[in-house]
Amino acid sequence: MRPDPLQFLSDELENLKQQGLYRRLRVLEGEQTAHATFDHRSVVNLSSNNYLGLTTHPKLRQAALDAVQKYGAGSGSVRTIAGTMELHMELERRLATFKKVEAVVVFQSGFTANARTVSAILGKEDAIISDELNHASIIDGARLSRATIKVFPHKDVEAARKIMSELPAGQRKLLITDGVFSMDGDLGVLPDLCKAAEEFGAIMMVDDAHASGVFGANGRGTVDHFDCHGRVDIQVGTLSKAMGALGGYVAGTKNFIEFLYHRARPFLFSTSHPPAVAAACIAALDVLETEPQWMEKLWENTRFFKGGLQALGFNTGRSESPITPVIVGEAPKAMEMSDRLFQQGVFAQGIGFPTVARGQARLRTIVTSTHTREDLQYALDVFGKVGKELGVV
Ligand SMILES: Cc1ncc(COP(=O)(O)O)c(C=O)c1O
């Protein structure tokens, strides 16, 4: 028999198991809701990005169903050939108005939007100045661009300024931050970074994946939250988290978006969203614009749950958003804690290296607007009990 040329991967997996970093996928049976069934167990679900509960909102469901009836199941082509449907154009127009920018292009995911925007606009002569905790999609985009990558310590604007001051004045520069950092839940320092970008003539870019639908008026994101309109050249948002469906978008000037229509590779080489997805995203915008109660409830729940974890003595890091990490240190302990919580009806995913730094393993919790006070109190009680059992608090 031929020796397996992929044997080395089994060794890698064994390694992961030994480090406590091996993960089995939890399988969701039914809908993505605040109370859900994973692996045959009914749990309070603190692991989704479904901030506003829109995955199951009646308006999104109905819009998706209607679109399937009217337009079918798929788009059948990439955007630049035959795959641009009326619904895609409508979604982009609606998003541009919502974000108060000239134009928007929608991608298949937030990941693609980040990775392929950065790599479309920059080349090897250019420089990228990036926060050390920026999302993997930004890191990949930076690598794909072949530009010089300069990483500054988390939120250290002075360090970013110093890097830019040492680069040649004529070199094209992109200064980039997450709006909300996905593993810590803290906010990018937008006003100060905008100022630094202005000072050094850099392009300013913000990845607002976790801020879309969560921060700013009606969920317009951190640019709105910090009143930085007109100072951020490139805004990336996602349609996959608070918006309840799937996709990513890039917002900016008309020329910039037209350039991406011509040069962003997923736009040219990967099939566009099925009509049901585009229609659900349009319905999500309707909800954001007319039903502020979901955001209000999200923040009320966030205050209650974050305060409860802190009162129990957990280390919740520097979170300023509905993402509240419970930092426990080593990965095996985080995974053990996550498993024990799950056995007792609370799903909070354990996260270790390489998603977060070694020694910073954590359980990442996200509340949604659809959690009830009872759900959250129950989760706090179980957190307190398991945290004590494991010596975390
Ligand atoms: C900060 C950040 N940016 C981008 C993305 C990618 O978004 P999407 O899930 O739409 O691909 C994520 C998702 O995990 C994220 O956390």
Side-chain angles (χ1 to χ4, degrees), residues 109-111 114 135 137 178 180 182 207 209-210 238 240-241 247:
S109 72
F111 193 104
N114 269 329
H135 190 252
S137 52
D178 277 359
V180 176
S182 57
D207 166 16
H210 285 278
T238 183
S240 328
K241 303 185 192 296

Side-chain angles (χ1 to χ4, degrees), residues 148-183:
T148 302
I149 303 169
K150 301 278 186 188
V151 174
F152 58 92
H154 186 47
K155 303 216 292 199
D156 188 339
V157 181
E158 269 321 298
R161 288 185 72 258
K162 182 159 185 300
I163 291 170
M164 290 194 285
S165 73
E166 287 166 1
L167 292 169
Q171 187 176 31
R172 189 170 295 139
K173 303 172 187 70
L174 174 76
L175 178 58
I176 181 161
T177 182
D178 277 359
V180 176
F181 289 88
S182 57
M183 292 300 139

Side-chain angles (χ1 to χ4, degrees), residues 24-76:
R24 254 174 240 294
L25 298 177
R26 295 246 181 250
V27 179
L28 172 61
E29 295 144 25
E31 298 177 342
Q32 181 66 268
T33 43
H35 221 119
T37 305
F38 286 86
D39 295 343
H40 314 304
R41 189 176 290 277
S42 167
V43 290
V44 176
N45 179 7
L46 296 172
S47 291
S48 87
N49 300 309
N50 186 23
Y51 292 101
L52 303 174
L54 298 197
T55 55
T56 52
H57 190 291
K59 285 187 183 156
L60 275 78
R61 270 192 217 271
Q62 196 55 52
L65 287 167
D66 292 348
V68 169
Q69 287 297 347
K70 188 164 174 197
Y71 298 104
S75 78

Side-chain angles (χ1 to χ4, degrees), residues 39-206:
D39 295 343
H40 314 304
R41 189 176 290 277
S42 167
V43 290
V44 176
N45 179 7
L46 296 172
S47 291
S48 87
N49 300 309
N50 186 23
Y51 292 101
L52 303 174
L54 298 197
T55 55
T56 52
H57 190 291
K59 285 187 183 156
L60 275 78
R61 270 192 217 271
Q62 196 55 52
L65 287 167
D66 292 348
V68 169
Q69 287 297 347
K70 188 164 174 197
Y71 298 104
S75 78
S77 173
V78 303
R79 288 288 300 275
T80 47
I81 302 184
T84 294
M85 305 177 88
E86 289 174 312
L87 282 173
H88 298 128
M89 298 310 290
E90 185 186 339
L91 175 58
E92 288 176 347
R93 278 194 301 274
R94 286 286 305 273
L95 281 167
T97 307
F98 182 71
K99 295 289 283 186
K100 303 186 179 177
V101 294
E102 285 178 17
V104 159
V105 54
V106 170
F107 287 88
Q108 293 84 353
S109 72
F111 193 104
T112 356
N114 269 329
R116 285 318 198 155
T117 297
V118 172
S119 56
I121 60 168
L122 296 181
K124 63 178 188 313
E125 310 300 328
D126 307 324
I128 297 173
I129 302 95
S130 177
D131 188 290
E132 67 177 337
L133 294 189
N134 278 344
H135 190 252
S137 52
I138 294 173
I139 298 169
D140 284 10
R143 289 180 182 153
L144 280 165
S145 75
R146 297 190 294 150
T148 302
I149 303 169
K150 301 278 186 188
V151 174
F152 58 92
H154 186 47
K155 303 216 292 199
D156 188 339
V157 181
E158 269 321 298
R161 288 185 72 258
K162 182 159 185 300
I163 291 170
M164 290 194 285
S165 73
E166 287 166 1
L167 292 169
Q171 187 176 31
R172 189 170 295 139
K173 303 172 187 70
L174 174 76
L175 178 58
I176 181 161
T177 182
D178 277 359
V180 176
F181 289 88
S182 57
M183 292 300 139
D184 291 271
D186 56 338
L187 299 186
V189 272
L190 259 59
D192 291 346
L193 286 172
C194 286
K195 199 157 160 241
E198 284 152 11
E199 193 178 334
F200 292 95
I203 304 162
M204 182 69 213
M205 175 164 170
V206 174

